[in-house]
Amino acid sequence: MSKNDKSLRELFEAAKTAQANAYAPYSRFRVGAALRTPGGAIFSGCNVENAAYPQGACAEAGAIAAMALGGERRIAEILVIGDGEGLCTPCGGCRQRIREFADATAPIHIAGPGGVRASFTLGELLPHSFGPEHLKA
Ligand code: THU
């Protein structure tokens, strides 16, 4: 197993563990996310739904909140895992959340229960995006 395979496997396992803790009684769609910082730290999150439906939080948002709490500010890569047949790609809002902390070249890996199904860059999922640098005069 190459170093890359091993680090992706670590990210997958962290996301899968997070997915097991998802609170999704309304959609019944459990999601886990795990991100790696440039220094190698891993932070994870799961979706947490709410009886007031729009107040639910995505797994990616949880992982990003954990990263910020850990004092980190950059995402080198992120992996999202969901069940079902389709690719569990981040929603539009989460693409923007990732954009705040990641370069356009950062990989976004999409996994199912058996492993990674597809990998995109942030730039592919959120082209021509708006970000923090646009606010600089
Ligand atoms: N969800 C995530 O947490 N991340 C995604 O990338 C896609 C969707 C959650 C939101 C909601 O709790 C459930 O999945 C169904 O949309």
Side-chain angles (χ1 to χ4, degrees):
M1 197 188 276
S2 77
K3 189 174 168 237
N4 276 353
D5 289 346
K6 189 167 173 265
S7 63
L8 192 56
R9 188 82 210 168
E10 276 173 2
L11 215 50
F12 175 77
E13 293 300 338
K16 197 166 181 167
T17 299
Q19 185 193 23
N21 284 327
Y23 176 73
Y26 306 106
S27 72
R28 305 213 167 272
F29 190 76
R30 292 167 172 264
V31 183
L35 64 84
R36 184 191 306 281
T37 68
I42 291 178
F43 296 93
S44 56
C46 59
N47 56 334
V48 180
E49 297 183 348
N50 194 288
Y53 293 174
Q55 302 306 324
C58 287
E60 295 90 327
I64 289 169
M67 177 192 78
L69 179 62
E72 299 277 358
R73 293 292 184 265
R74 293 305 291 170
I75 298 171
E77 61 180 332
I78 183 165
L79 183 149
V80 184
I81 180 171
D83 297 329
E85 296 295 309
L87 292 179
C88 184
T89 47
C91 73
C94 284
R95 292 176 196 205
Q96 189 68 40
R97 288 188 179 94
I98 295 165
R99 164 67 171 88
E100 184 72 15
F101 302 105
D103 295 338
T105 54
I108 298 180
H109 307 287
I110 311 302
V116 173
R117 291 171 165 171
S119 297
F120 304 95
T121 64
L122 172 62
E124 286 174 316
L125 294 187
L126 194 68
H128 308 291
S129 64
F130 185 85
E133 65 276 12
H134 290 92
L135 298 177
K136 291 181 186 137

